[in-house]
Amino acid sequence: MSIPLLAFELTETNRDWLIHRPLAIVSYIVVAIVLRFVLHRLIDRMTKPREKSGKPRRSFLAPLQERAERAIGDPYARERRIQRAQTIGSVFKSGVSIVVLVWVVLQTLDTLGFNVAPFIASAGIAGVALGFGAQNLVRDFISGMFMLLEDQYGVGDVVDLGDAVGTVESVGLRVTTVRDIDGTLWFCRNGEILRVGNMSQGHAVSVIDVPIAPTSNVDRACQIALRAVLDGVEREDIAPDVLEKPELLGVNSVTAGAVTLRLTVRVRAGKQWAIRRSLTRAVLEAFDQNGIESPNVAVAAAVSS
């Protein structure tokens, strides 16, 4: 009677290893694939832009999305929001894939009879050791995540990161690359960036400072400068980027050799430098045509006399 009983026990063991456990592992893999696919589709649905159509939106986020679209009517702002959403979506999808993969591995090991508790404990200890040994790396990743979520800057923005000032060429979770006006490519660790000055978001202000000789008629010079700027912003290559009417602030500084007049105009972000150069040239040409002396001319005339 012992031999048939032993054969029966071996048959149950084989059935467990050849049928039940493989089926369980396959079911875990199938669930992981389906879960990953569903979560990726959900992330794509939340981050990809919706095409405009006459059909009403049925999403529970539709009121917030419609209100955001009404608030952001600028096509540049919409394009920036799309790029930011796609970047965040790719990061989330990578995180989802890693979590699902870890879950499948742990469930497979548990099904094969391995005790996963030591693996989890080892992972916790390794995480603590990694946190102590790679604090800067962890801080870089966390800072990079917050920079993406808060949309502090993006590719193509002109930023001031402290030691590096220039155009952002790439934004990663650990490093941001910035190319300055001399062509030098700066690699800035996200955890070391303490402040960010973004000169490409929202709007900007072009500040036009023009010096005149102390002996010039200040009131007349102000009128001529304001008229030159008003005419300059009407040009076809400048008008689309001007958001508000130029404003004359008046005398900004007075020195022994010059009186500086200041004018400002609100423009699109990133256009302030080109518009400032163009309007400064227009003001200087108007001064020359109307006999408003520059400081250098006045000094030269005083020396020659």
Side-chain angles (χ1 to χ4, degrees):
M1 295 296 293
S2 61
I3 296 178
L5 180 60
L6 178 60
F8 177 78
E9 291 177 352
L10 292 176
T11 302
E12 289 295 330
T13 302
N14 292 338
R15 182 181 302 175
D16 180 55
W17 279 97
L18 297 178
I19 299 177
H20 297 299
R21 298 197 183 193
L23 286 177
I25 294 174
V26 171
S27 64
Y28 288 137
I29 295 176
V30 172
V31 170
I33 294 175
V34 173
L35 182 62
R36 179 180 178 274
F37 175 77
V38 171
L39 292 177
H40 280 208
R41 288 295 300 270
L42 179 62
I43 293 173
D44 289 337
R45 184 178 180 85
M46 294 175 62
T47 57
K48 286 186 178 180
R50 295 178 179 270
E51 297 181 357
K52 294 183 178 180
S53 62
K55 297 181 180 181
R57 297 183 177 181
R58 298 180 179 179
S59 172
F60 68 95
L61 295 177
L64 296 178
Q65 293 173 345
E66 292 174 357
R67 184 168 58 184
E69 290 182 359
R70 290 195 298 267
I72 306 178
D74 189 356
Y76 296 100
R78 175 177 172 80
E79 181 179 358
R80 178 182 181 83
R81 186 178 59 177
I82 292 173
Q83 293 175 350
R84 175 194 173 199
Q86 291 175 348
T87 303
I88 296 176
S90 64
V91 174
F92 283 167
K93 286 194 289 187
S94 299
V96 166
S97 299
I98 293 174
V99 172
V100 171
L101 177 61
V102 171
W103 178 78
V104 170
V105 171
L106 292 178
Q107 291 295 334
T108 301
L109 292 176
D110 183 62
T111 303
L112 294 176
F114 293 95
N115 187 7
V116 298
F119 290 98
I120 298 176
S122 300
I125 296 174
V128 173
L130 181 63
F132 281 106
Q135 295 182 23
N136 292 333
L137 182 63
V138 174
R139 183 172 62 179
D140 293 340
F141 272 90
I142 294 176
S143 300
M145 283 296 300
F146 276 105
M147 286 177 183
L148 291 174
L149 293 174
E150 296 172 0
D151 193 24
Q152 296 181 12
Y153 54 79
V155 176
D157 287 347
V158 180
V159 297
D160 181 353
L161 302 182
D163 295 331
V165 180
T167 304
V168 178
E169 291 202 349
S170 66
V171 180
L173 289 179
R174 194 181 71 85
V175 174
T176 296
T177 59
V178 177
R179 190 175 297 276
D180 64 16
I181 192 172
D182 297 324
T184 304
L185 187 63
W186 295 85
F187 293 86
C188 305
R189 287 173 44 198
N190 295 332
E192 298 295 328
I193 299 175
L194 302 180
R195 63 174 179 83
V196 177
N198 195 328
M199 293 167 271
S200 302
Q201 281 192 5
H203 69 274
V205 176
S206 286
V207 181
I208 302 101
D209 289 332
V210 286
I212 61 175
T215 57
S216 300
N217 189 323
V218 176
D219 291 336
R220 182 166 177 267
C222 289
Q223 295 176 1
I224 294 173
L226 180 59
R227 176 50 53 192
V229 171
L230 290 173
D231 293 340
V233 296
E234 297 297 330
R235 290 168 43 185
E236 294 182 357
D237 57 335
I238 295 181
D241 298 321
V242 177
L243 302 179
E244 290 183 358
K245 184 179 179 180
E247 182 180 0
L248 173 66
L249 301 184
V251 177
N252 185 62
S253 64
V254 179
T255 63
V259 175
T260 303
L261 308 181
R262 171 166 292 185
L263 302 94
T264 60
V265 54
R266 188 175 179 181
V267 298
R268 293 187 184 277
K271 301 295 183 179
Q272 59 267 37
W273 302 288
I275 293 178
R276 179 175 61 190
R277 289 191 294 267
S278 179
L279 296 181
T280 300
R281 178 178 178 179
V283 172
L284 293 178
E285 289 178 351
F287 282 171
D288 185 60
Q289 295 173 0
N290 290 273
I292 302 298
E293 294 182 345
S294 64
N296 293 333
V297 174
V299 171
V303 171
S304 62
S305 62

